[in-house]
Amino acid sequence: MSQNNIRTVLEGNPVVPVVKIQSLDEVVPLVTALQENNINCIEITLRTDCAIDALKLAKECSNDSFSVGVGTVVNTKQLAQVIEADVDFIVLPGLNDELVDALKDVSIPFLPGVVTPSEMMQCLSLGWDTLKFFPANIAGGLSALKTYSQVFSQIKFCPTGGISKGNYPEYLALDNVISVGGSWIQKDLNL
Ligand code: 3PG
């Protein structure tokens, strides 16, 4: 089993912009604006046809301290594609048996999505203690995270889904929240 260093990636990136790239023309202005605003990572979701090319372009046009991640990885075919694209981190909204098996050998940092205690326990049994809590707003938000901090004190979460400019500081203030993710950042930059 390889080491998953996602906690190190997120420690330096408390806010993770989750973006959907419709056209490659969007990539350079977006990455430039993020860097200018001292946001040094991006999660490009695999929800558009140009997402893989967008990832490669984001890596080319960003500086060395900028982390280019990929989100919405839902099957092993996509996992192989993004490993090939040499991304800096991988985000999965959830897990299935096939992905769990494949991830055991992945050396790129990855963030698996969970909602339930059983899913958290499965991840802990694999040594994965830094997890995406998704969809955070539907799965209980701040109060669920406070409860999980009592039960699973070793887990650090990156909540996403319904996080906003208004509520993200409250999430980051929780001891068991390492970072937050969301689409509001891209909208906020007017890009
Ligand atoms: C997602 O994967 O869509 C993210 O969780 C972003 O959700 P948001 O649009 O509610 O920020």
Side-chain angles (χ1 to χ4, degrees):
M1 175 130 35
S2 58
Q3 179 88 11
N4 181 9
N5 289 326
I6 189 67
R7 192 172 287 202
T8 308
V9 175
L10 295 181
E11 268 164 2
N13 290 296
V15 171
V16 180
V18 178
V19 307
K20 190 161 108 176
I21 301 290
Q22 305 282 5
S23 153
L24 289 181
D25 296 344
E26 297 166 29
V27 175
V28 175
L30 177 56
V31 170
T32 304
L34 291 172
Q35 290 181 141
E36 283 171 1
N37 283 275
N38 207 24
I39 296 173
N40 289 305
C41 71
I42 192 169
E43 176 192 327
I44 296 176
T45 56
L46 288 188
R47 299 184 200 167
T48 57
D49 291 342
C50 67
I52 296 282
D53 287 335
L55 286 167
K56 292 177 182 167
L57 181 54
K59 279 186 72 79
E60 277 167 30
C61 75
S62 56
N63 61 40
D64 287 347
S65 57
F66 191 87
S67 296
V68 178
V70 58
T72 325
V73 174
V74 297
N75 58 52
T76 51
K77 185 176 169 207
Q78 290 176 326
L79 185 63
Q81 273 183 315
V82 302
I83 292 169
E84 173 72 28
D86 196 26
V87 292
D88 297 317
F89 65 98
I90 298 167
V91 184
L92 310 99
L95 289 169
N96 58 30
D97 292 346
E98 213 186 347
L99 278 166
V100 166
D101 273 350
L103 285 165
K104 287 175 187 166
D105 297 322
V106 170
S107 55
I108 296 172
F110 59 90
L111 184 69
V114 296
V115 166
T116 67
S118 299
E119 291 162 352
M120 293 169 202
M121 288 158 63
Q122 183 193 21
C123 286
L124 285 176
S125 74
L126 293 158
W128 305 340
D129 61 4
T130 306
L131 306 171
K132 173 179 166 105
F133 183 54
F134 174 79
N137 55 339
I138 294 167
L142 292 163
S143 95
L145 286 162
K146 284 177 195 165
T147 300
Y148 287 136
S149 79
Q150 304 298 314
V151 184
F152 302 115
S153 57
Q154 64 276 60
I155 299 179
K156 296 284 184 198
F157 292 98
C158 176
T160 67
I163 312 296
S164 67
K165 189 177 180 178
N167 67 15
Y168 87 89
E170 282 182 275
Y171 279 91
L172 281 180
L174 298 180
D175 283 345
N176 61 341
V177 170
I178 190 166
S179 59
V180 295
S183 57
W184 93 89
I185 305 143
Q186 184 180 18
K187 292 180 193 128
D188 218 43
L189 293 171
N190 291 319
L191 291 165

